[in-house]
């Protein structure tokens, strides 16, 4: 929101966060000021949103903005001047250093609020009804991820290339992120790599740029750090989304990198939780680490669920086994637990 009071409050109470204006709030009155220039089919509107969504760096945005206004004769338009002066508060290219995990807008939040207002929650409802209806909305809108999405390794992935780095991506990433990585490999194919300083600095250049916008970059500098443990590109896509860009991937392929450097494998995109890696140092410790236990059991339970769904006999066997496990766990909970060095949890125990 462009509210000054909110901006001041965020700066005071949440000083370590980045406050970014929502693009919709900045442009919501654009049609009133720009008239026919901002209709749904106008070339100016299409071009404006293209540069807002596709420009990767600040200098690229500056060049694209200047060319767009010059093309449509809007260099001196007061509304465009106003929003340009505060571009560093809402244009995506100026937030490339800020990690957002691909969440760059509030469309999902806005649509959820609209759905609640229209279909579930009356204005004068109680908080209890709101909570119940919100849970109903959440369960209805929750994506129906099947076994393929819940566990990447359940079925063998068919590799698209013969590159070792793709095989490594299929082993560490979830299925959706792996598919994104494959698309990144495809996008990297047209680029040519030139060594500026061998093993330290490279330029990824796209030779055939006829199909690209005139304002679009064709050269991207990629710096190799820590003896190949990090590949940092000038576009800063990894810093912004946690996913490697095609320029860095192209340099990796050029250098024959067989595995994605550990620094670039973010836990949130992995098939198994890696948050315990610091404690367990890469070695699963199911005797002490709750996350290692959860990961081990998660895979086993998914296998059981997959087998149980195949026919009625398997389903009955698994359900009987679950019933037996529940009885044994209930009996175990009735026995006093062994003392632990960790402080006891104060969370209430909910009845099943």
């Amino acid at each position: 929101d462009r509210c000054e009071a909110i901006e001041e409050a965020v700066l005071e109470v949440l000083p370590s966060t980045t406050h970014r204006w929502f693009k919709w709030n900045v442009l919501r009155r654009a049609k009133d000021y720009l008239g026919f220039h901002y209709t749904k089919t106008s070339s100016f509107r299409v071009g404006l949103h293209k540069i807002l969504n596709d420009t990767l760096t600040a200098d690229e945005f500056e060049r694209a903005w200047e060319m767009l206004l010059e093309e449509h004769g809007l260099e001196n338009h007061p509304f465009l001047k106003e929003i340009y002066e505060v571009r560093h508060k809402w244009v995506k290219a100026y937030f490339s250093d800020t990690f957002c995990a691909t969440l760059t807008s509030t469309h999902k939040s806005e649509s959820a609020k609209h759905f609640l207002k229209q279909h579930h929650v009356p204005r004068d409802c109680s908080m209890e009804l709101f909570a119940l209806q919100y849970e109903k909305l959440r369960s209805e809108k929750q994506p129906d991820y099947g076994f393929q999405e819940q566990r990447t390794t359940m079925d063998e992935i068919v590799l698209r290339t013969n590159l070792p780095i793709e095989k490594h991506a299929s082993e560490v990433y979830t299925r959706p992120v792996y598919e994104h990585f494959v698309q990144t490999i495809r996008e990297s194919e047209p680029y040519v790599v030139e060594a500026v300083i061998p093993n330290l600095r490279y330029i990824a250049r796209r030779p055939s740029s006829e199909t690209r916008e005139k304002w679009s970059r064709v050269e991207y500098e990629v710096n190799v750090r820590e003896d190949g443990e990090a590949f940092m590109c000038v576009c800063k896509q990894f810093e912004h989304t946690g996913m490697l860009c095609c320029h860095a991937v192209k340099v990796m392929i050029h250098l024959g990198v067989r595995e994605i450097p550990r620094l670039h494998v973010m836990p949130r995109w992995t098939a198994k939780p890696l948050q315990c890696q610091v404690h367990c140092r890469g070695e699963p410790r199911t005797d002490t680490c709750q996350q290692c236990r959860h990961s081990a059991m998660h895979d086993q339970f998914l296998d059981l669920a997959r087998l149980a769904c195949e026919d009625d006999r398997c389903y009955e066997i698994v359900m009987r086994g679950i019933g037996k496990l529940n009885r044994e766990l209930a009996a175990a909970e009735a026995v006093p637990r062994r003392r632990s060095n960790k402080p006891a949890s104060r969370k209430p125990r909910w009845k099943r």
Side-chain angles (χ1 to χ4, degrees), residues 192-248:
V192 176
V193 176
E194 175 187 337
V196 179
I197 303 177
N199 300 321
L200 288 177
R201 184 178 301 170
Y202 293 85
I203 295 293
R205 180 182 293 105
R206 188 183 180 98
S208 56
S209 57
E210 294 82 5
T211 58
R212 297 172 67 86
E213 298 290 342
K214 293 181 180 179
W215 45 259
S216 180
R217 271 176 173 260
V218 294
E219 293 185 357
Y220 295 85
E221 182 180 303
V222 179
N223 292 301
V224 183
R225 301 176 183 173
E226 301 176 13
D227 295 329
E229 291 300 317
F231 290 76
M232 313 310 293
C233 181
V234 67
C235 76
K236 298 184 179 180
Q237 179 175 307
F238 177 76
E239 291 90 329
H240 190 55
T241 66
M243 295 183 181
L244 285 166
C245 63
C246 61
H247 322 114

Side-chain angles (χ1 to χ4, degrees), residues 145-157 170-171 173 175 271-272 298-307 309-310:
Y145 295 119
F147 295 120
Q148 302 289 346
E149 289 74 20
Q150 293 185 46
R151 181 185 173 196
T152 301
T153 57
M154 180 165 291
D155 292 326
E156 184 179 358
I157 293 177
S170 70
E171 295 170 351
Y173 285 142
R175 179 63 61 85
K272 293 184 179 180
H298 180 267
D299 292 348
Q300 294 291 330
F301 289 147
L302 282 177
D303 275 333
L304 288 176
R306 178 174 59 83
L307 293 171
C309 293
E310 293 179 353

Side-chain angles (χ1 to χ4, degrees), residues 2 24 119 187 204 250 302:
R2 299 180 66 178
W24 180 87
H119 302 286
E187 292 174 0
K250 183 65 177 182
L302 282 177

Side-chain angles (χ1 to χ4, degrees), residues 61-305:
F61 168 79
E62 297 284 351
R63 185 167 58 254
W65 181 271
E66 182 180 352
M67 293 176 64
L68 180 67
L69 268 57
E70 183 178 351
E71 179 185 352
H72 294 273
L74 297 172
E75 299 93 329
N76 299 316
H77 196 284
F79 174 73
L80 296 176
K81 278 188 173 182
E82 177 189 343
I83 63 175
Y84 175 77
E85 289 175 357
V86 291
R87 60 195 180 282
H88 60 282
K89 294 187 177 183
W90 64 280
V91 176
K92 183 179 70 172
Y94 290 91
F95 293 86
S96 57
D97 287 327
T98 304
F99 178 70
C100 69
T102 74
L103 191 63
T104 58
S105 75
T106 59
H107 278 124
K108 193 170 185 178
S109 172
E110 294 293 331
S111 62
K113 287 192 290 185
H114 176 75
F115 190 86
L116 281 167
K117 290 177 181 178
Q118 295 295 323
H119 302 286
H120 281 271
V121 182
R123 287 182 175 273
D124 56 348
C125 75
S126 64
M127 284 300 297
E128 181 181 8
L129 176 60
F130 173 82
L132 291 173
Q133 295 297 79
Y134 179 80
E135 282 300 313
K136 182 179 179 181
L137 167 66
R138 188 182 64 82
S139 62
E140 290 178 356
K141 292 296 182 181
Q142 184 71 22
D144 186 19
Y145 295 119
F147 295 120
Q148 302 289 346
E149 289 74 20
Q150 293 185 46
R151 181 185 173 196
T152 301
T153 57
M154 180 165 291
D155 292 326
E156 184 179 358
I157 293 177
V158 178
L159 301 178
R160 321 294 172 79
T161 69
N162 293 322
L163 297 172
I165 197 171
E166 185 203 347
K167 185 176 186 300
H168 183 242
S170 70
E171 295 170 351
V172 297
Y173 285 142
T174 60
R175 179 63 61 85
V177 178
Y178 161 73
E179 295 292 343
H180 183 277
F181 188 80
V182 172
Q183 181 61 32
T184 301
I185 293 178
R186 290 173 178 168
E187 292 174 0
S188 73
E189 292 174 355
Y191 285 86
V192 176
V193 176
E194 175 187 337
V196 179
I197 303 177
N199 300 321
L200 288 177
R201 184 178 301 170
Y202 293 85
I203 295 293
R205 180 182 293 105
R206 188 183 180 98
S208 56
S209 57
E210 294 82 5
T211 58
R212 297 172 67 86
E213 298 290 342
K214 293 181 180 179
W215 45 259
S216 180
R217 271 176 173 260
V218 294
E219 293 185 357
Y220 295 85
E221 182 180 303
V222 179
N223 292 301
V224 183
R225 301 176 183 173
E226 301 176 13
D227 295 329
E229 291 300 317
F231 290 76
M232 313 310 293
C233 181
V234 67
C235 76
K236 298 184 179 180
Q237 179 175 307
F238 177 76
E239 291 90 329
H240 190 55
T241 66
M243 295 183 181
L244 285 166
C245 63
C246 61
H247 322 114
V249 170
K250 183 65 177 182
V251 174
M252 290 181 188
I253 295 173
H254 175 77
L255 295 177
V257 176
R258 301 181 64 85
E259 294 187 356
I260 302 170
R262 185 175 181 80
L263 174 68
H264 295 299
V265 182
M266 295 198 68
R268 67 172 62 230
W269 308 136
T270 54
K272 293 184 179 180
L274 296 181
Q275 290 88 337
C276 60
Q277 292 288 341
V278 175
H279 171 68
C280 300
R281 299 185 182 276
E283 296 295 331
R285 298 178 57 183
T286 56
D287 57 333
T288 59
C289 180
Q290 292 185 6
Q291 292 192 6
C292 286
R293 291 176 181 175
H294 183 277
S295 178
M297 291 188 294
H298 180 267
D299 292 348
Q300 294 291 330
F301 289 147
L302 282 177
D303 275 333
L304 288 176

Side-chain angles (χ1 to χ4, degrees), residues 40-56:
K40 290 184 178 180
T41 58
S42 68
S43 59
F44 174 80
R45 175 171 177 163
V46 173
L48 174 62
H49 284 277
K50 185 172 182 61
I51 67 173
L52 292 177
N53 295 330
D54 296 348
T55 51
L56 299 177

